Amino acid sequence: MRILEIRERTVPLAGNVANAVVNFSEHTVSLVALISDQTVDGRTLVGFGFNSIGRFGQAGILRERMIPRVLAADPSTLLASDHRTFDAAAIAATAMRNEKPGGHGDRAGALGALELAVWDLNAKLGGEPAYRTIARHFGHSVERRPATVYAAGGYYYPGASMKRLREELKQYRSIGFDAFKLKIGGAPLAEDMQRIETALDVAGDSARLSVDANGRFDLDTALEYGRAMQPLGLRWYEEPGDPLDYALNRAIAEAYDGPIATGENLFSAIDASNLVRFGGMRPGKDIFQMDAGLSYGLTEYTRMIGILEQHGITRAQCFPHGGHLINLHIAVALDLGGCEAYPGVFQPFGGYPPECDVADGLVWPTEVPGFGLELKRELRTHLDILT
Ligand code: MG
């Protein structure tokens, strides 16, 4: 058994929406296809992966460095010991051959896309959904169960009003979401507080509303927002300041009583380790949002979880960034606290296909083999082009 070919394609992300820092209309995603020599009912088995949402594709890194290394390797070194699946950790290590430690960045997303495609392929080889393959591999229950999910929205749209925000959140509620996340930091504090109050009015309960500053604030601004929001008792306050400024994170954690959330811009186990050691994150309280697609894939992501657990932080505190099918399967398989959803935005990757039931704030994975990316109508054209 071997991988015959690895193809990649850069896919633009749809949507003219913005958070406090970036506009997503220029963002792209790397979609990777692993073409195997295995067939089922006459059809070649192909594993698909992508590097999450909200960044950029990494065609050059994939084409010039990682894909040639994997294809040049002795195929037997890429197989799991049962010889019936591929060894995701071995493929990741092969793709990273001759790379220096540190300097995580776009490289971590390139490998994330490639490594996640291995899990999709392994699940298809077993004829089962990816959550089951992943759960079995890491020693968890393989039973089908839902993930707790929240609708991430409340972006800054050109010319948007409070009425539009209210309608947006009501729309999420009507399709089964009961918790929401809102962007802050892209408007003055007074206007953001008005947006939060508007969202709270729809959410009905502050434990169902979190806010995300996308790393925009300096310490003084972060603390000022914290003081204004503290009486509201929000679910969490996400990425108040630069994600790599652990001293700033610690200062905010010391001043702000409610949970803070961060981690989506930490791309390696050592980055996550430094956050725990120096960032003031509180066991049993704060939220960790590292995302396998941005951080070398599931192999590295599970290393991060191991580090968190060594420091008394539980899986219930983990909510991966990036509302899409791959992270749904990962959240279910690894018994994480939940995951994000982007209903209606960031197509073709965001959100879940209609086959995934969403109700009462829970989303169910489907039983189709792999991550089920083929069920996403918006994505099918791109998958077809790659195969
Ligand atoms: Mg965020």
Side-chain angles (χ1 to χ4, degrees), residues 146-150 235-236 287-288 301 305 314-320 327 330-340 361-362:
T148 301
V149 74
Y150 64 91
R235 186 181 190 189
W236 71 64
I287 303 299
F288 293 80
Y301 183 72
I305 291 184
T314 67
R315 287 158 189 264
Q317 291 176 254
C318 296
F319 285 74
N327 280 347
I330 290 174
V332 169
L334 301 180
D335 291 324
L336 305 182
C339 59
E340 191 168 21
L362 299 172

Side-chain angles (χ1 to χ4, degrees), residues 150-151 169 172-173 177-182 202-203 208-210:
Y150 64 91
L169 300 189
Y172 298 153
R173 162 156 286 164
F177 294 95
D178 65 359
F180 314 96
K181 190 168 81 185
L182 174 72
V202 180
R208 297 189 183 282
L209 182 69
S210 41

Side-chain angles (χ1 to χ4, degrees), residues 123-167:
K124 287 168 176 168
L125 284 165
E128 63 182 8
Y131 75 81
R132 203 170 294 154
T133 307
I134 295 168
R136 185 183 306 106
H137 184 88
F138 292 102
H140 289 261
S141 163
V142 299
E143 248 175 72
R144 182 166 181 255
R145 53 203 185 276
T148 301
V149 74
Y150 64 91
Y155 287 85
Y156 294 96
Y157 294 87
S161 63
M162 296 298 157
K163 181 165 177 283
R164 189 198 185 288
L165 174 63
R166 185 183 294 273
E167 293 306 315

Side-chain angles (χ1 to χ4, degrees), residues 181 183 212 214 238-239 264 289 321 340:
K181 190 168 81 185
K183 296 297 173 182
D212 184 1
N214 286 94
E238 180 170 326
E239 278 199 321
E264 68 177 75
Q289 301 173 301
H321 155 272
E340 191 168 21

Side-chain angles (χ1 to χ4, degrees), residues 249-306:
N249 199 76
R250 172 182 289 274
I252 296 165
E254 284 168 358
Y256 182 72
D257 273 352
I260 56 176
T262 190
E264 68 177 75
N265 288 297
L266 303 184
F267 297 161
S268 68
I270 190 67
D271 281 346
S273 176
N274 281 333
L275 174 66
V276 175
R277 286 191 279 184
F278 306 115
M281 296 292 275
R282 297 157 291 186
K285 182 177 234 179
D286 294 319
I287 303 299
F288 293 80
Q289 301 173 301
M290 289 80 77
D291 178 346
L294 298 175
S295 54
Y296 296 108
L298 187 58
T299 304
E300 183 84 355
Y301 183 72
T302 54
R303 285 185 195 128
M304 294 183 189
I305 291 184

Side-chain angles (χ1 to χ4, degrees), residues 7 47 57 74 77 91 154 198 214 216 219 245 297 319 327 366 384:
R7 300 176 190 159
D74 173 352
T77 64
I91 291 176
T198 302
N214 286 94
R216 181 190 172 106
L219 181 58
D245 190 339
F319 285 74
N327 280 347
T366 67
D384 289 345

